[in-house]
Amino acid sequence: MALDVDKIRLDFPALTRQIHGQEIVYLDSAASSQKPESVLQAMDAAYRTSYANVHRGVYQTAEETTAAFEASRAKVARFINARSASEVVFVRNATEAINLVAYSWGRANLKQGDVVVLSLMEHHANIVPWHMLAEERGIELRWIGITDDFRLDLTNLDELLSGARLLAISAMSNVLGTINEIRPLADAAHDHDALILVDACQYVPHLATDVRAWDADFVAFSAHKMLGPSGIGGLWARAELLEGMPPFLGGGEMIRDVRQDGFTTNDLPWKFEAGTPAIVEAIGWGAAIDYLANLGMADVRDHEERLTRYALDALIQNFPTMTIYGPQDASIRGGAISFLFDGIHAHDISQVLDERAVCVRAGHHCAKPLMRHIGVPATSRASLYIYNTESEVDTLIEALAKAEDFFRI
Amino acid sequence: MSSNLEDLYREVILDHYRSPRNRGELPVPPATKTEGFNPLCGDEVAVYLEIDSATDTVRDIKIEGQGCSISQASTSMMSAAVKGKTVDGARQLIRAFKALMSIHEHKLEGEGDGSDLAADLEGVRLGDLEALQGVVKFPVRIKCATLAWNTLQQGLDEAGDSSI
Ligand SMILES: Cc1ncc(COP(=O)(O)O)c(C=O)c1O
């Protein structure tokens, strides 16, 4: 069933915000999404009615909080079709999830000369942790290139994967919108005895995710891009891998026993969760997942694909001097649309758009190797989500026409 | 266009943006090349400086790089303003420009009372540069306007070091 966007919009208080006397047109959900009332209420209620630390007290509210916290973990696990909630580690965000893998799995398993394969369309979150390991351990980084139509260039994949230990790759580019088909990549990696880490930060919010159908080994994602609060995210990994990995941070919660001469670690997933976690954020994330699950991810995708097609068509029709950095076929991409007018800087475009209360991102989008590859310092990026409408896209087009007019040399 | 926006994009700014002055490279050495980055937006600038050590003046300056209209215009105006100036004069202009951008060099953000800014501005002729004052109303754009100036400052330091 098609999403009832008018009804959805009523659930998002921040979308009623007026900017310069006009209703906000929020087209930056790829950076972070807005939050529905149900998430705000779940978090508010947690603080007001039943708040305590988790996994510690035996009194009623401590047990309630712990149950709500762990219920959210189960929701996350179900949402991505994990085998068990114990495979979902709560972290701060996708960035921390990838750093956890680099720090724990990477330092335990990678030595000088070992190869990690990335792609040119990675976010810095899936580059810099590997650079750090390269500096520390002398591992080698190899890069999957990009074709002229902004897809992965897989012609030399076998060569790149030969001798590799890990393929770390995003499921959807936050700049190009390109969706990378994970299963064939996982198969290719496994054929070479490499593991695959999927940066699913832009994928999980928008498409039904099945980590087992992917046959992935590690998957990283953030709550704040999928209607949940900032401050919490997930690392999913196969239980056997997590079992074999040394802990990341040390402290309370992650231990089974501590003696003067050492410690033993807790069971999964708590082994990787040192210290008091983001308790209320986890509860809010659970409510966000309920909201998305209730809409149905197939319908979410349907709406976004249709709106993306509408936006691409409108941009191409209205602006012959605009370059769109990403596939033009909406069926193989998500709703993050990067573009640039010949000779006009993305910052200047954004500034004029702000006049019309249109919020788009301008910059390198934390993907500088990609920006270097496509040869621009920055792009504008409009990104679409469940609450965006065709009429908002029309407003974007109007505002862009005005901006182009103003800066045309 | 709102008046704020017109204030930001004054005609003289758009003029420098459309026809930037002193674009190009200088041979290194004798010139020095200093690069600046704005990590926020990815903008890059390279400032080539040729200092005449006998008279301690900026004999020539050239600019490379890409950026938004504010950073391009600010860079262009900067190059025009410091060319032929003494190194001390250029440094004074840097301080004055930062004061114009409400940057309190010697105080924590939000602590300045304005008197330090007034002192840095006193007696300095900013001319066209004053057109950039509108940027102050758009705090995220201040970094665009100051990129070239910070790079110049670094370049003067490096040129000074290498001539010793
Ligand atoms: C593809 C991708 N990976 C990783 C991240 C990092 O996410 P976070 O900042 O939530 O850690 C982002 C966020 O922009 C992203 O788009």
Side-chain angles (χ1 to χ4, degrees), chain A residues 343 345 347-348 351 355 364 406, chain B residues 9 17 39 43 69 138 141:
Chain A
H345 194 279
H347 259 175
D348 293 317
Q351 194 83 59
E355 284 284 292
H364 55 62
F406 188 72
Chain B
Y9 294 118
Y17 158 63
D43 287 352
S69 60
F138 300 87
R141 305 299 295 276

Side-chain angles (χ1 to χ4, degrees), chain B residues 19-25 46 48 60-64 75-83:
Chain B
S19 1
R21 325 292 199 261
N22 300 306
R23 294 287 297 186
E25 302 177 29
Y48 293 87
D60 204 358
I61 178 167
K62 291 273 191 235
I63 306 290
E64 274 189 317
T75 308
S76 171
M77 289 179 178
M78 179 275 280
S79 71
V82 301
K83 192 165 165 174

Side-chain angles (χ1 to χ4, degrees), chain A residues 2 11 47 59 63 71 110 115 149 185 217 226 270 281 324 367 391 393 404:
Chain A
D11 294 331
Y47 277 124
Y59 47 92
E63 279 170 8
L110 298 181
V115 172
D149 55 351
L185 290 167
D217 298 300
M226 50 188 291
W270 306 292
E281 286 75 6
I324 293 172
S391 127
V393 173
E404 188 195 20

Side-chain angles (χ1 to χ4, degrees), chain A residues 63-342:
Chain A
E63 279 170 8
E64 282 171 10
T65 309
T66 304
F69 179 77
E70 290 302 333
S72 281
R73 193 192 307 275
K75 286 175 189 178
V76 174
R78 216 172 301 126
F79 195 67
I80 60 171
N81 199 29
R83 188 171 287 112
S84 143
S86 64
E87 294 182 326
V88 175
V89 179
F90 281 145
V91 288
R92 273 191 307 146
N93 46 38
T95 302
E96 186 172 300
I98 298 168
N99 274 275
L100 193 163
V101 175
Y103 191 92
S104 167
W105 179 84
R107 278 169 180 76
N109 289 282
L110 298 181
K111 55 184 191 315
Q112 168 112 20
D114 279 348
V115 172
V116 171
V117 180
L118 311 172
S119 91
L120 260 184
M121 61 172 84
E122 297 313 305
H123 186 281
H124 294 166
N126 197 25
I127 299 175
V128 181
W130 309 114
H131 270 318
M132 287 165 67
L133 211 50
E135 281 180 11
E136 184 188 313
R137 286 287 161 95
I139 64 165
E140 179 194 343
L141 304 187
R142 291 185 193 154
W143 301 80
I144 298 174
I146 291 176
T147 62
D148 290 343
D149 55 351
F150 304 103
R151 303 169 72 171
L152 291 178
D153 179 0
L154 299 175
T155 45
N156 59 343
L157 183 66
D158 271 321
E159 206 179 304
L160 292 172
L161 281 174
S162 126
R165 303 289 311 276
L166 179 74
L167 169 60
I169 193 146
S170 86
M172 190 197 292
S173 162
N174 64 316
V175 180
L176 309 170
T178 312
I179 294 173
N180 297 324
E181 254 195 277
I182 294 301
R183 181 58 196 245
L185 290 167
D187 289 345
H190 293 152
D191 284 347
H192 287 274
D193 291 325
L195 299 180
I196 180 167
L197 176 149
V198 183
D199 175 357
C201 205
Q202 295 289 345
Y203 191 97
V204 176
H206 304 286
L207 290 104
T209 302
D210 185 334
V211 295
R212 281 189 275 172
W214 274 348
D215 200 17
D217 298 300
F218 303 102
V219 177
F221 46 110
S222 287
H224 69 94
K225 295 191 202 277
M226 50 188 291
L227 312 182
S230 57
I232 191 161
L235 169 67
W236 170 87
R238 284 191 293 109
E240 314 85 87
L241 282 168
L242 290 174
E243 292 287 3
M245 284 158 55
F248 175 37
L249 301 173
E253 184 97 4
M254 52 75 70
I255 48 88
R256 170 166 303 135
D257 187 23
V258 181
R259 301 167 307 276
Q260 273 183 281
D261 64 352
F263 73 100
T264 49
T265 56
N266 200 341
D267 294 333
L268 295 180
W270 306 292
K271 170 181 165 184
F272 293 101
E273 295 180 2
T276 297
I279 300 166
V280 173
E281 286 75 6
I283 292 170
W285 194 10
I289 286 174
D290 286 343
Y291 191 96
L292 286 172
N294 186 44
L295 293 177
M297 290 309 287
D299 291 348
V300 166
R301 169 62 186 164
D302 212 46
H303 165 74
E304 289 180 21
E305 188 177 328
R306 204 149 357 121
L307 196 57
T308 301
R309 185 165 293 125
Y310 181 82
L312 287 169
D313 286 350
L315 290 169
I316 292 165
Q317 260 169 36
N318 283 283
F319 306 112
T321 66
M322 175 184 279
T323 305
I324 293 172
Y325 297 96
Q328 301 204 347
D329 174 358
S331 71
I332 57 161
R333 57 165 299 147
I337 306 175
S338 280
F339 56 85
L340 211 52
F341 287 107
D342 191 21

Side-chain angles (χ1 to χ4, degrees), chain B residues 36-48:
Chain B
F37 296 91
N38 183 344
L40 199 71
C41 57
D43 287 352
E44 304 176 1
V45 65
V47 175
Y48 293 87

